Amino acid sequence: MSKPEILVTDRFIPVVLDGLNSAFVTHELWKADDPEAVLSSVAGNIRGIAAGHTIPFNADFIDRFPNLEIIANFGVGYDNIDAAYAATRNILVTNTPDVLTEEVADTAIGLMIMTARELSASERWLRAGNWNGPYPLTRGTLRGKKLGIFGLGRIGKAIARRAEAMLMEVSYHNRNPLADVDYRYFATLTELAAHCDVLLCAAPGGPATRHIINTDIFKALGPEGMFINIGRGSTVDETALIEALQNETIMTAGLDVFEFEPKVPQALIDMDHVVLLPHVASASQHTRDAMGQLQVDNLTHWFKNGAPITPVAETPWPRS
């Protein structure tokens, strides 16, 4: 029996490329000098796609593949894929949840501490040879502070558990309250921001959350407030964030994601008290290998057993 043909859009890590090349006939788009020519020649044969984040999987792109059965995304976020449209064509979409939850939660807590205590700035200060006297006392602290989490999913809950161990009060905002947690729920993001000292975004991207964190939210958070984002950059109006930081509407921010990655606004780079990370929340070899293996497993499991392992919410697949 011939191997299924799949399209590989990105230069993935070895565990992904090795796994895919052993199980499938692969067409590696990222290698092509003329990607359009490759797509035109193989689109009719493609039954699966190993998707990264370099190509927007909109309806027009998806429709180029008449025999497509599954899009396996690398990463838990899949706002680059129109999963709802894929569902209308009975195309499965999978992502890689759970395997990165704890790593991202660790990074979120680390970023929050770095931001509150100016750890990045103080290290730069030391390296610049300025330790002739004590580093100025930091205005920020997490002692006695209230953490508000926007997006209490798998990752949000893992962050909340860690914050509880730090003796922080935890509250949250989702579209609806959750039955399996005791944290205080706020029906609106504005109410959550007004209540908390640290607003942490762990929400997904997409049209429903685009720029949901805006001027009004920063005003509600207030001049002693700290904003942390390990969710998606598209959730934040970056112009409003820059203005809030420049005008001291909020105290500081720690960001692992940005709206137009890898482009980071120069105004943010110029702010020494703001902590900026290059989207590294899940970026350990251990965790990325686990994510890659799950991406491969979703594809191999589908073609071998006729079932996805981790289908996304929009995918037309029976839920247990």
Side-chain angles (χ1 to χ4, degrees), residues 219-241:
K219 286 181 179 178
L221 184 57
E224 298 298 316
M226 293 174 272
F227 174 63
I228 307 295
N229 194 3
I230 52 85
R232 277 289 183 263
S234 61
T235 62
V236 181
D237 181 339
E238 283 190 346
T239 299
L241 172 60

Side-chain angles (χ1 to χ4, degrees), residues 204-271:
T209 60
R210 184 178 183 275
H211 286 192
I212 194 170
I213 300 170
N214 52 33
T215 298
D216 291 339
I217 301 303
F218 294 128
K219 286 181 179 178
L221 184 57
E224 298 298 316
M226 293 174 272
F227 174 63
I228 307 295
N229 194 3
I230 52 85
R232 277 289 183 263
S234 61
T235 62
V236 181
D237 181 339
E238 283 190 346
T239 299
L241 172 60
I242 290 166
E243 290 176 353
L245 290 164
Q246 290 174 335
N247 299 334
E248 298 186 1
T249 303
I250 63 173
M251 180 167 60
T252 188
L255 311 171
D256 184 50
V257 291
F258 303 89
E259 187 168 7
F260 301 109
E261 296 178 7
K263 183 180 178 181
V264 179
Q266 188 63 43
L268 289 174
I269 293 173
D270 291 341
M271 296 180 194

